[in-house]
Amino acid sequence: MLLQLEQECLDIYRKKVEKSRKYKADLHQALAEAEAEVANIVAALGEGASFSREKGTLKEQIAGVKPILGDLRLKKQERLKEFSETQSQIIGICAEIAGNSQFVNSTDTRINEQDLSMKKLGELKSHLQELQNEKALRLQKVNSHVNTIHELSDVMSLDFNNTMVEVHPSFGDATVQSKNISNDTLARSIGVINSLKQEKQQRLQKLQDLGRTLIELWNLMDTPVVEQKKFDNVTCLISSSVDEVSTRGCLALDVVEQTEVEVERLNSLKASKMKDLVLKRQNELEEIYRSVHVDVDSETAQQILISLIESGNVDLSDLLSGMDDQITKAKEQASSRKDILEKVDKWKYASEEENWLDEYERDDNRYSAGRGAHKNLKRAEKARILVGKIPSLVENLSAKVKAWEIEKGIPFLYDKVPLLQTLEVYTAQRHEREEEKRRSREQKRLQEQLTTEQEALFGSRPTIKKPLGQSIAANTTIGTPVGRRALTPSARHGISGGGKERRDSGKLGTVIPVNYVALTKDDSLSQGN
């Protein structure tokens, strides 16, 4: 029994020892696992700190490791969360760029827990920042494209929502907040913009052509301004570029259709009024030629035009176009003749003044005290100055006409007659008149010389008393008698001042106003008359 009891005690002791050994081994294992976990976490986090085992029993060592391990596990969880959020954002943005954002699973984010260092996290955040910048740029492009499409749709009165559905279905859904920024969406939006711009260009070009046609038809038919104002929105686009056209609805289809209908209506009206238009153009052409003294057989020309119109063998539009070309050439010809015609007008005016001066100088009563005599004197002074310029004026005019004829290769006609021929005839006639005047003066001078010689031999003839209006004004002091003397030719044609007065020699107290008094050859002053 003692041996048996001893054996049982020994077994119990052995079991306790074995249990103690196992417990110690478990403690060692737990400590080793804790230390290993600490080392792994420190390595994963990339921490530079090292862990050293504390002294003491196993329980004390384990108790010292637990708080460190807890802190490291918490830090690891936070790092994992940060990695997860960053990587989720990266996956989301990549999915948006790829156009698969609706199929993204937020839980499908695999993280390498062996590398949770700040360096790795920094790389992920840098990549995320790049993706965010690219997303912002793409979003900016999408917004710009949307605005451009909206503007183009407004200008052409298109349905904006239907147009955006062509770009991406999400753009037509008002409940969708985020905009698709995929490459396909950007490419589609660019394609839609190009298509809208091409359509805008075509509509603008069509309206510009229609506007020009409208203006031509209005000018042809003298359309009232009130009717023209109805299409101001079309005519104002004629000189506009594509980028300048931004008014809402100005390129709508109904505007194009209304303009086309108006052009068709005016073309129909034009066909019925073409005869009047052609004749109007002919009258305009004739008026241009008449204004520059070019001869036109208007009656024959109108008969020819009416025959062409009634025959129906000519296109009236071509006929109008040809007449417009003739009007343009007529205006150019009129412009080339303008300078010469101005000089012709000056020459004709000078000739008229010359003729008037000749008649005036032949009038023996031109110095009488009648009404308007002083005006005629002033006109005569100006006419003499102008007549003195006639030779140089004719010479310059002839030179210009010759230069014009050399340049154009045709004679310069003025009222059916060559202008050079007219100038030559005028020059010859003027020369004859000058010779006639010279002979007349010479004959008068000889007659006066003969009269003077006769007076010297036989004495002067008795003076015939003249009427008061034809007597000479005294050049001496008022009331002073004038001695008897013969007048020289210059004195006989002298002119006293318009505001002077003289006294009758017979009545010294009477004052008689005298303006201009003409003296004849036999007039003389004496104290007795």
Side-chain angles (χ1 to χ4, degrees), residues 7 10 17 88 126 163 232 265 314 342 373 375 461-462 488 491 528:
Q7 187 64 37
L10 183 61
V17 170
S88 297
S126 177
T163 305
D232 283 346
R265 185 185 73 83
V314 63
E342 289 177 354
K375 294 182 180 179
R461 289 179 294 179
T488 61

Side-chain angles (χ1 to χ4, degrees), residues 9-26:
C9 290
L10 183 61
D11 291 338
I12 292 172
Y13 174 75
R14 285 175 180 173
K15 288 180 180 179
K16 288 185 178 181
V17 170
E18 187 64 27
K19 186 177 180 180
S20 298
R21 286 178 181 173
K22 186 178 180 181
Y23 179 67
K24 182 179 180 181
D26 291 339

Side-chain angles (χ1 to χ4, degrees), residues 203-204 207-208 212 231-241 244-247 250-251 255:
R203 292 192 185 186
L204 178 61
L207 277 178
Q208 286 178 339
R212 294 189 187 95
F231 293 89
D232 283 346
N233 59 330
V234 176
T235 55
C236 68
L237 299 176
I238 290 177
S239 60
S240 301
S241 63
E244 293 173 347
V245 177
S246 59
T247 306
C250 64
L251 297 180
V255 175

Side-chain angles (χ1 to χ4, degrees), residues 509-522:
T510 304
V511 179
I512 302 175
V514 176
N515 290 328
Y516 304 99
V517 181
L519 299 180
T520 61
K521 175 185 173 188
D522 297 330

Side-chain angles (χ1 to χ4, degrees), residues 20-62:
S20 298
R21 286 178 181 173
K22 186 178 180 181
Y23 179 67
K24 182 179 180 181
D26 291 339
L27 291 177
H28 275 293
Q29 184 177 357
L31 180 60
E33 289 177 355
E35 290 177 349
E37 187 176 356
V38 169
N40 289 335
I41 293 174
V42 169
L45 296 176
E47 301 290 342
S50 60
F51 171 74
S52 60
R53 180 180 295 181
E54 296 183 1
K55 295 180 180 181
T57 62
L58 289 175
K59 289 184 178 181
E60 291 175 350
Q61 292 178 10
I62 291 173

Side-chain angles (χ1 to χ4, degrees), residues 371-423:
R371 178 179 295 180
H374 64 289
K375 294 182 180 179
N376 289 335
L377 278 175
K378 290 182 179 179
R379 180 179 176 182
E381 289 295 328
K382 293 180 180 179
R384 290 188 185 95
I385 296 172
L386 187 59
V387 168
K389 297 178 181 179
I390 288 180
S392 61
L393 184 62
V394 172
E395 183 179 355
N396 292 335
L397 180 58
S398 300
K400 280 192 171 292
V401 172
K402 290 177 182 178
W404 187 92
E405 291 181 347
I406 292 173
E407 179 184 356
K408 303 295 182 180
I410 55 176
F412 190 98
L413 299 180
Y414 187 89
D415 294 337
K416 302 182 183 181
V417 180
L419 183 57
L420 280 179
Q421 180 180 343
T422 304
L423 291 173

